[in-house]
Protein backbone atom coordinates (compact mmCIF):
# COMPACT_ATOMS: atom_id res chain seq x y z
CA UNK A 1 0.00 0.00 0.00
CA UNK A 2 1.20 3.50 -0.81
CA UNK A 3 2.10 6.08 1.84
CA UNK A 4 0.73 9.65 1.88
CA UNK A 5 2.81 11.93 -0.31
CA UNK A 6 4.15 13.83 2.71
CA UNK A 7 5.85 10.61 3.83
CA UNK A 8 7.18 10.01 0.32
CA UNK A 9 8.67 13.52 0.03
CA UNK A 10 9.40 14.50 3.64
CA UNK A 11 11.64 17.50 2.89
CA UNK A 12 9.24 19.34 0.64
CA UNK A 13 8.25 22.47 2.58
CA UNK A 14 9.01 24.77 -0.35
CA UNK A 15 6.97 22.62 -2.73
CA UNK A 16 4.09 22.55 -0.28
CA UNK A 17 4.13 26.34 -0.10
CA UNK A 18 4.10 26.49 -3.89
CA UNK A 19 1.10 24.18 -3.98
CA UNK A 20 -0.71 26.28 -1.42
CA UNK A 21 -0.22 29.39 -3.57
CA UNK A 22 -1.67 27.55 -6.58
CA UNK A 23 -4.71 26.45 -4.58
CA UNK A 24 -5.27 29.94 -3.19
CA UNK A 25 -5.10 31.44 -6.70
CA UNK A 26 -7.70 28.93 -7.91
CA UNK A 27 -9.94 29.76 -4.95
CA UNK A 28 -10.06 33.41 -5.99
CA UNK A 29 -11.80 32.36 -9.21
CA UNK A 30 -14.13 29.64 -7.93
CA UNK A 31 -17.23 31.42 -6.56
CA UNK A 32 -19.45 28.36 -6.88
CA UNK A 33 -17.29 26.23 -4.61
CA UNK A 34 -16.87 29.20 -2.25
CA UNK A 35 -20.64 29.46 -1.83
CA UNK A 36 -21.03 25.70 -1.35
CA UNK A 37 -18.11 25.63 1.09
CA UNK A 38 -19.78 28.29 3.23
CA UNK A 39 -22.95 26.19 3.35
CA UNK A 40 -21.00 23.01 4.07
CA UNK A 41 -18.95 24.61 6.85
CA UNK A 42 -22.13 25.83 8.56
CA UNK A 43 -24.20 22.64 8.22
CA UNK A 44 -21.57 19.86 7.89
CA UNK A 45 -23.86 17.70 5.75
CA UNK A 46 -21.04 15.19 5.15
CA UNK A 47 -20.19 14.59 8.82
CA UNK A 48 -19.18 10.99 9.40
CA UNK A 49 -18.71 10.21 5.70
CA UNK A 50 -15.47 9.01 4.13
CA UNK A 51 -14.96 10.25 0.58
CA UNK A 52 -12.52 8.36 -1.64
CA UNK A 53 -11.34 10.34 -4.67
CA UNK A 54 -9.35 9.34 -7.77
CA UNK A 55 -8.96 12.48 -9.87
CA UNK A 56 -6.41 14.76 -11.54
CA UNK A 57 -4.74 16.21 -8.46
CA UNK A 58 -4.04 19.82 -9.33
CA UNK A 59 -5.18 23.13 -7.87
CA UNK A 60 -8.85 23.09 -8.87
CA UNK A 61 -9.33 19.52 -7.68
CA UNK A 62 -7.66 20.43 -4.41
CA UNK A 63 -10.30 23.08 -3.78
CA UNK A 64 -13.03 20.45 -4.24
CA UNK A 65 -11.25 18.20 -1.75
CA UNK A 66 -11.08 21.04 0.77
CA UNK A 67 -14.78 21.82 0.28
CA UNK A 68 -15.76 18.21 0.96
CA UNK A 69 -13.58 18.22 4.08
CA UNK A 70 -15.24 21.47 5.19
CA UNK A 71 -18.54 19.59 4.96
CA UNK A 72 -17.35 17.19 7.63
CA UNK A 73 -16.04 14.36 5.46
CA UNK A 74 -12.78 12.49 5.82
CA UNK A 75 -11.23 12.73 2.36
CA UNK A 76 -8.63 10.40 0.85
CA UNK A 77 -7.44 11.24 -2.66
CA UNK A 78 -5.10 9.95 -5.33
CA UNK A 79 -4.51 10.56 -9.02
CA UNK A 80 -6.44 9.16 -11.98
CA UNK A 81 -3.54 9.58 -14.41
CA UNK A 82 0.16 9.01 -13.66
CA UNK A 83 1.18 12.28 -15.33
CA UNK A 84 -1.53 14.71 -14.24
CA UNK A 85 -0.64 15.15 -10.56
CA UNK A 86 1.09 18.32 -9.41
CA UNK A 87 3.28 17.15 -6.52
CA UNK A 88 3.34 20.54 -4.84
CA UNK A 89 -0.48 20.69 -4.83
CA UNK A 90 -0.69 17.11 -3.56
CA UNK A 91 1.66 18.01 -0.70
CA UNK A 92 -0.37 21.09 0.19
CA UNK A 93 -3.60 19.10 0.10
CA UNK A 94 -2.14 16.41 2.33
CA UNK A 95 -1.53 19.07 4.96
CA UNK A 96 -5.23 20.05 5.11
CA UNK A 97 -7.20 18.83 8.13
CA UNK A 98 -9.38 15.92 7.12
CA UNK A 99 -7.56 15.22 3.84
CA UNK A 100 -4.96 12.56 3.00
CA UNK A 101 -3.33 12.66 -0.43
CA UNK A 102 -1.50 9.73 -2.00
CA UNK A 103 -1.13 11.30 -5.46
CA UNK A 104 2.35 11.60 -6.94
CA UNK A 105 3.40 12.45 -10.48
CA UNK A 106 5.23 10.06 -12.78
CA UNK A 107 4.56 6.82 -10.92
CA UNK A 108 4.57 3.45 -12.67
CA UNK A 109 1.49 1.24 -12.93
CA UNK A 110 2.27 -0.64 -9.74
CA UNK A 111 2.58 2.55 -7.67
CA UNK A 112 -0.48 4.05 -9.36
CA UNK A 113 -2.73 1.17 -8.30
CA UNK A 114 -1.08 0.93 -4.88
CA UNK A 115 -2.20 4.52 -4.27
CA UNK A 116 -5.75 3.63 -5.30
CA UNK A 117 -5.64 0.75 -2.84
CA UNK A 118 -4.43 3.14 -0.14
CA UNK A 119 -7.52 5.29 -0.72
CA UNK A 120 -9.70 2.17 -0.52
CA UNK A 121 -8.06 1.30 2.81
CA UNK A 122 -9.95 4.30 4.23
CA UNK A 123 -13.16 2.33 3.49
CA UNK A 124 -14.93 5.13 1.64
CA UNK A 125 -18.67 5.55 1.97
CA UNK A 126 -18.72 7.76 -1.16
CA UNK A 127 -16.50 7.64 -4.24
CA UNK A 128 -15.62 10.51 -6.57
CA UNK A 129 -13.97 9.17 -9.71
CA UNK A 130 -12.50 10.44 -12.97
CA UNK A 131 -12.25 7.45 -15.31
CA UNK A 132 -13.74 4.78 -12.99
CA UNK A 133 -10.50 3.16 -11.85
CA UNK A 134 -11.46 3.55 -8.19
CA UNK A 135 -14.93 2.07 -8.64
CA UNK A 136 -13.53 -0.81 -10.68
CA UNK A 137 -10.88 -1.62 -8.05
CA UNK A 138 -13.46 -1.66 -5.25
CA UNK A 139 -15.81 -3.97 -7.16
CA UNK A 140 -13.05 -6.32 -8.30
CA UNK A 141 -10.82 -6.49 -5.24
CA UNK A 142 -12.80 -5.19 -2.24
CA UNK A 143 -16.39 -6.42 -2.66
CA UNK A 144 -16.83 -6.57 1.11
CA UNK A 145 -16.82 -2.75 1.17
CA UNK A 146 -19.69 -2.36 -1.31
CA UNK A 147 -22.45 -2.66 1.27
CA UNK A 148 -21.11 0.37 3.15
CA UNK A 149 -20.92 2.67 0.11
CA UNK A 150 -23.78 5.15 -0.23
CA UNK A 151 -22.95 6.06 -3.84
CA UNK A 152 -20.49 7.73 -6.14
CA UNK A 153 -19.89 10.39 -8.78
CA UNK A 154 -18.12 10.02 -12.14
CA UNK A 155 -16.49 13.03 -13.74
CA UNK A 156 -15.56 12.11 -17.29
CA UNK A 157 -16.95 10.68 -20.53
CA UNK A 158 -14.78 7.55 -20.53
CA UNK A 159 -15.72 6.75 -16.95
CA UNK A 160 -19.42 7.10 -17.70
CA UNK A 161 -19.05 4.82 -20.74
CA UNK A 162 -17.37 2.20 -18.55
CA UNK A 163 -20.01 2.57 -15.86
CA UNK A 164 -22.90 2.17 -18.30
CA UNK A 165 -21.29 -1.00 -19.65
CA UNK A 166 -20.83 -2.23 -16.09
CA UNK A 167 -24.44 -1.36 -15.26
CA UNK A 168 -25.69 -3.14 -18.40
CA UNK A 169 -23.85 -6.27 -17.22
CA UNK A 170 -25.56 -6.02 -13.83
CA UNK A 171 -22.19 -5.60 -12.14
CA UNK A 172 -22.51 -2.09 -10.66
CA UNK A 173 -23.43 -2.48 -7.00
CA UNK A 174 -24.17 1.08 -5.91
CA UNK A 175 -25.68 4.26 -7.41
CA UNK A 176 -23.36 6.56 -9.32
CA UNK A 177 -24.17 10.02 -10.68
CA UNK A 178 -22.99 10.61 -14.26
CA UNK A 179 -21.69 14.10 -13.52
CA UNK A 180 -20.13 14.21 -16.99
CA UNK A 181 -23.56 14.08 -18.64
CA UNK A 182 -25.17 16.99 -16.82
CA UNK A 183 -25.48 20.31 -18.73
CA UNK A 184 -23.30 22.33 -16.34
CA UNK A 185 -20.47 19.87 -17.03
CA UNK A 186 -20.94 18.87 -20.64
CA UNK A 187 -21.77 22.26 -22.17
CA UNK A 188 -18.88 24.06 -20.51
CA UNK A 189 -16.19 21.69 -19.24
CA UNK A 190 -16.24 19.33 -22.22
CA UNK A 191 -16.63 22.01 -24.90
CA UNK A 192 -14.81 25.09 -23.61
CA UNK A 193 -12.58 23.43 -21.03
CA UNK A 194 -11.24 20.68 -23.27
CA UNK A 195 -11.02 22.96 -26.30
CA UNK A 196 -9.07 25.70 -24.56
CA UNK A 197 -6.82 23.56 -22.38
CA UNK A 198 -5.92 21.00 -25.05
CA UNK A 199 -4.97 23.67 -27.58
CA UNK A 200 -3.02 25.73 -25.06
CA UNK A 201 -1.05 22.68 -23.88
CA UNK A 202 -0.23 21.69 -27.47
CA UNK A 203 0.83 25.23 -28.35
CA UNK A 204 3.01 25.64 -25.26
CA UNK A 205 4.64 22.23 -25.67
CA UNK A 206 5.38 22.60 -29.39
CA UNK A 207 5.66 26.41 -29.74
CA UNK A 208 3.70 26.07 -33.01
CA UNK A 209 1.04 28.44 -34.34
CA UNK A 210 -2.53 27.39 -35.12
CA UNK A 211 -3.02 29.95 -37.87
CA UNK A 212 -3.02 28.27 -41.27
CA UNK A 213 -2.31 24.85 -39.74
CA UNK A 214 -4.39 21.82 -40.70
CA UNK A 215 -5.79 20.24 -37.56
CA UNK A 216 -7.47 16.84 -37.59
CA UNK A 217 -9.98 16.33 -34.76
CA UNK A 218 -10.94 12.69 -34.23
CA UNK A 219 -14.46 12.54 -32.80
CA UNK A 220 -17.15 15.21 -32.80
CA UNK A 221 -18.70 14.72 -29.39
CA UNK A 222 -18.73 17.61 -26.95
CA UNK A 223 -14.95 17.50 -26.47
CA UNK A 224 -14.29 17.25 -30.20
CA UNK A 225 -16.66 20.13 -30.85
CA UNK A 226 -14.71 22.24 -28.39
CA UNK A 227 -11.33 21.43 -29.93
CA UNK A 228 -12.63 22.07 -33.46
CA UNK A 229 -14.34 25.32 -32.47
CA UNK A 230 -11.30 26.71 -30.67
CA UNK A 231 -8.86 25.64 -33.40
CA UNK A 232 -11.02 27.23 -36.08
CA UNK A 233 -11.23 30.34 -33.92
CA UNK A 234 -7.44 30.59 -34.10
CA UNK A 235 -7.55 30.36 -37.91
CA UNK A 236 -6.64 26.70 -38.29
CA UNK A 237 -8.04 24.56 -41.12
CA UNK A 238 -10.07 21.88 -39.32
CA UNK A 239 -10.81 18.35 -40.51
CA UNK A 240 -13.16 16.13 -38.49
CA UNK A 241 -13.22 12.32 -38.52
CA UNK A 242 -16.23 10.45 -37.15
CA UNK A 243 -17.93 7.04 -37.03
CA UNK A 244 -21.40 8.38 -36.14
CA UNK A 245 -23.28 9.62 -39.24
CA UNK A 246 -25.26 12.25 -37.30
CA UNK A 247 -22.20 13.78 -35.69
CA UNK A 248 -20.39 13.67 -39.03
CA UNK A 249 -23.31 15.51 -40.63
CA UNK A 250 -23.32 18.04 -37.81
CA UNK A 251 -19.61 18.73 -38.33
CA UNK A 252 -20.19 19.04 -42.08
CA UNK A 253 -23.00 21.56 -41.53
CA UNK A 254 -20.78 23.51 -39.15
CA UNK A 255 -18.43 24.04 -42.08
CA UNK A 256 -15.67 21.56 -41.26
CA UNK A 257 -14.17 19.12 -43.75
CA UNK A 258 -15.26 15.58 -42.85
CA UNK A 259 -13.46 12.47 -44.08
CA UNK A 260 -12.08 9.09 -42.93
CA UNK A 261 -8.90 9.10 -40.88
CA UNK A 262 -7.01 7.33 -43.70
CA UNK A 263 -7.63 10.36 -45.90
CA UNK A 264 -7.17 12.94 -43.15
CA UNK A 265 -3.81 11.38 -42.22
CA UNK A 266 -2.34 12.59 -45.50
CA UNK A 267 -3.46 16.19 -44.90
CA UNK A 268 -3.10 16.80 -41.18
CA UNK A 269 -0.29 18.59 -39.42
CA UNK A 270 -1.65 18.34 -35.86
CA UNK A 271 -3.92 15.45 -34.82
CA UNK A 272 -6.09 15.55 -31.68
CA UNK A 273 -8.06 12.47 -30.60
CA UNK A 274 -11.19 13.05 -28.51
CA UNK A 275 -13.17 9.82 -28.88
CA UNK A 276 -12.80 7.90 -25.63
CA UNK A 277 -12.20 4.79 -27.75
CA UNK A 278 -9.08 2.83 -28.70
CA UNK A 279 -7.07 2.50 -31.94
CA UNK A 280 -8.25 5.77 -33.47
CA UNK A 281 -4.87 6.46 -35.09
CA UNK A 282 -3.04 3.26 -36.07
CA UNK A 283 -0.22 1.96 -38.25
CA UNK A 284 -1.83 2.60 -41.64
CA UNK A 285 -2.36 6.22 -40.64
CA UNK A 286 1.22 6.73 -39.47
CA UNK A 287 2.43 5.51 -42.85
CA UNK A 288 0.46 8.30 -44.58
CA UNK A 289 1.32 11.23 -42.31
CA UNK A 290 3.63 14.04 -43.41
CA UNK A 291 7.00 14.71 -41.86
CA UNK A 292 6.70 16.74 -38.66
CA UNK A 293 3.13 15.72 -37.79
CA UNK A 294 2.15 16.18 -34.13
CA UNK A 295 -0.14 13.69 -32.37
CA UNK A 296 -2.00 14.55 -29.18
CA UNK A 297 -4.73 12.76 -27.23
CA UNK A 298 -7.51 14.57 -25.38
CA UNK A 299 -9.34 11.38 -24.42
CA UNK A 300 -9.05 9.96 -20.93
CA UNK A 301 -6.87 6.87 -21.53
CA UNK A 302 -3.70 6.46 -23.60
CA UNK A 303 -5.22 3.98 -26.07
CA UNK A 304 -6.45 6.29 -28.83
CA UNK A 305 -3.04 6.49 -30.54
CA UNK A 306 -1.48 3.08 -31.19
CA UNK A 307 1.96 3.76 -29.76
CA UNK A 308 3.06 0.13 -30.06
CA UNK A 309 2.51 0.25 -33.80
CA UNK A 310 4.36 3.56 -34.02
CA UNK A 311 7.25 2.14 -32.00
CA UNK A 312 7.44 -0.80 -34.38
CA UNK A 313 7.62 1.52 -37.39
CA UNK A 314 10.28 3.77 -35.87
CA UNK A 315 14.00 3.31 -36.46
CA UNK A 316 14.82 5.88 -33.80
CA UNK A 317 13.03 7.73 -31.00
CA UNK A 318 14.16 10.72 -28.98
CA UNK A 319 12.85 13.60 -26.89
CA UNK A 320 12.45 16.45 -29.40
CA UNK A 321 11.19 18.86 -26.74
CA UNK A 322 10.16 18.38 -23.14
CA UNK A 323 6.93 16.41 -23.21
CA UNK A 324 7.22 15.61 -26.93
CA UNK A 325 8.73 12.38 -28.25
CA UNK A 326 9.89 12.11 -31.86
CA UNK A 327 9.54 8.84 -33.77
CA UNK A 328 11.78 8.73 -36.85
CA UNK A 329 10.58 6.34 -39.54
CA UNK A 330 12.68 4.44 -42.08
CA UNK A 331 11.99 6.99 -44.83
CA UNK A 332 13.18 9.86 -42.61
CA UNK A 333 9.77 11.21 -41.64
CA UNK A 334 9.40 12.25 -38.01
CA UNK A 335 6.11 11.97 -36.11
CA UNK A 336 5.80 13.58 -32.69
CA UNK A 337 3.69 12.32 -29.77
CA UNK A 338 2.83 14.59 -26.86
CA UNK A 339 2.61 13.43 -23.21
CA UNK A 340 3.14 9.75 -24.06
CA UNK A 341 -0.32 9.70 -25.65
CA UNK A 342 -1.96 10.60 -22.35
CA UNK A 343 -4.37 13.46 -21.72
CA UNK A 344 -2.57 16.34 -23.40
CA UNK A 345 -4.28 19.05 -21.38
CA UNK A 346 -3.11 17.51 -18.11
CA UNK A 347 -0.05 15.37 -18.81
CA UNK A 348 2.42 17.61 -20.66
CA UNK A 349 5.01 19.32 -18.44
CA UNK A 350 3.36 22.71 -19.02
CA UNK A 351 -0.25 21.52 -18.59
CA UNK A 352 -2.58 23.30 -16.20
CA UNK A 353 -5.80 21.46 -17.06
CA UNK A 354 -9.09 23.15 -17.77
CA UNK A 355 -9.53 26.86 -16.94
CA UNK A 356 -10.39 27.55 -13.31
CA UNK A 357 -13.83 29.03 -13.94
CA UNK A 358 -14.90 26.05 -16.01
CA UNK A 359 -13.84 23.55 -13.36
CA UNK A 360 -15.61 25.59 -10.70
CA UNK A 361 -18.85 24.64 -12.46
CA UNK A 362 -18.01 20.95 -12.82
CA UNK A 363 -16.75 20.60 -9.27
CA UNK A 364 -19.76 22.53 -8.01
CA UNK A 365 -21.90 19.78 -9.51
CA UNK A 366 -19.65 17.18 -7.87
CA UNK A 367 -20.04 18.82 -4.44
CA UNK A 368 -23.85 19.07 -4.52
CA UNK A 369 -24.05 15.53 -5.93
CA UNK A 370 -22.07 14.21 -2.96
CA UNK A 371 -24.45 16.12 -0.66
CA UNK A 372 -27.42 14.56 -2.48
CA UNK A 373 -26.01 11.05 -1.98
CA UNK A 374 -25.61 11.64 1.75
CA UNK A 375 -29.06 13.16 2.19
CA UNK A 376 -31.09 11.13 -0.32
CA UNK A 377 -28.89 8.14 -1.15
CA UNK A 378 -31.53 5.61 -0.12
CA UNK A 379 -33.72 6.88 -2.95
CA UNK A 380 -31.29 5.73 -5.64
CA UNK A 381 -30.96 2.11 -6.72
CA UNK A 382 -27.64 0.64 -7.81
CA UNK A 383 -26.77 1.82 -11.31
CA UNK A 384 -25.93 4.96 -13.28
CA UNK A 385 -28.12 8.01 -12.60
CA UNK A 386 -28.45 11.44 -14.13
CA UNK A 387 -27.68 14.30 -11.76
CA UNK A 388 -31.06 15.72 -10.64
CA UNK A 389 -31.86 18.78 -12.73
CA UNK A 390 -32.52 20.86 -9.60
CA UNK A 391 -28.89 20.40 -8.53
CA UNK A 392 -27.59 21.41 -11.95
CA UNK A 393 -29.77 24.52 -11.86
CA UNK A 394 -28.59 25.31 -8.34
CA UNK A 395 -24.99 25.44 -9.54
CA UNK A 396 -25.95 27.59 -12.55
CA UNK A 397 -27.81 30.04 -10.32
CA UNK A 398 -24.81 30.40 -8.00
CA UNK A 399 -22.60 31.13 -11.01
CA UNK A 400 -25.00 33.72 -12.47
CA UNK A 401 -25.26 35.49 -9.12
CA UNK A 402 -21.47 35.57 -8.81
CA UNK A 403 -21.25 37.04 -12.32
CA UNK A 404 -23.88 39.66 -11.54
CA UNK A 405 -26.18 38.29 -14.24
CA UNK A 406 -29.95 38.49 -13.71
CA UNK A 407 -32.51 36.50 -15.68
CA UNK A 408 -36.30 36.35 -16.01
CA UNK A 409 -38.58 33.91 -14.19
CA UNK A 410 -41.70 32.22 -15.47
CA UNK A 411 -44.99 33.73 -14.32
CA UNK A 412 -47.68 31.54 -12.78
CA UNK A 413 -49.60 31.69 -16.05
CA UNK A 414 -46.50 30.61 -17.99
CA UNK A 415 -45.84 27.75 -15.57
CA UNK A 416 -49.44 26.59 -15.97
CA UNK A 417 -49.23 26.83 -19.76
CA UNK A 418 -46.02 24.80 -19.93
CA UNK A 419 -47.60 22.10 -17.78
CA UNK A 420 -50.83 21.85 -19.70
CA UNK A 421 -51.85 19.82 -22.74
CA UNK A 422 -55.28 21.45 -23.23
CA UNK A 423 -54.00 24.66 -24.86
CA UNK A 424 -54.04 24.21 -28.64
CA UNK A 425 -54.62 26.46 -31.63
Amino acid sequence: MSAPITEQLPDADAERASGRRKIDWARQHMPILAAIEAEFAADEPLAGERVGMAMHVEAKTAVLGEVLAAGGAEVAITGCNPLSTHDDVSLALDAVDGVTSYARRGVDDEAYYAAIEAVIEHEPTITVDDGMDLIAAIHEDYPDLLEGIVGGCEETTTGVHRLRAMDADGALEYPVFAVNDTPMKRLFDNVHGTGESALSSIAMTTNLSWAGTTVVVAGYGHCGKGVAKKAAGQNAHVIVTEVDPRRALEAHMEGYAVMPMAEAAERGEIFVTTTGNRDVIVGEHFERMPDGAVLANAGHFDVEIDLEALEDLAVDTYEAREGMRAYELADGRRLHVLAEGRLVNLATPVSLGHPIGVMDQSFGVQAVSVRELVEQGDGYAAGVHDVPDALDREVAEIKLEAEGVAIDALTEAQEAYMGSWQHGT
Side-chain angles (χ1 to χ4, degrees), residues 55 57-58 79 81-87 90 103-105 346:
M55 305 190 80
V57 180
E58 43 82 51
N81 183 305
L83 293 179
S84 65
T85 292
H86 292 201
D87 284 349
S90 183
R104 186 173 178 183
R105 184 180 178 90
L346 282 154

Side-chain angles (χ1 to χ4, degrees), residues 409-420 423:
L410 294 175
T411 65
E412 289 186 10
Q414 288 172 323
E415 290 272 15
Y417 180 80
M418 295 299 290
S420 171
H423 299 285

Side-chain angles (χ1 to χ4, degrees), residues 166-190:
M166 189 178 184
D167 194 11
D169 287 345
L172 182 56
E173 297 291 339
Y174 59 83
V176 181
F177 283 133
V179 171
N180 176 78
D181 292 356
T182 198
M184 282 297 286
K185 164 70 163 65
R186 195 166 253 190
L187 297 179
F188 303 97
D189 184 316
N190 292 21

Side-chain angles (χ1 to χ4, degrees), residues 137-178:
I138 292 173
H139 279 75
E140 292 171 2
D141 302 324
Y142 299 87
D144 54 312
L145 297 181
L146 291 169
E147 187 176 347
I149 297 178
V150 176
C153 301
E154 172 54 53
E155 172 74 10
T156 200
T157 305
T158 299
V160 171
H161 285 170
R162 294 179 73 193
L163 282 168
R164 293 197 187 282
M166 189 178 184
D167 194 11
D169 287 345
L172 182 56
E173 297 291 339
Y174 59 83
V176 181
F177 283 133

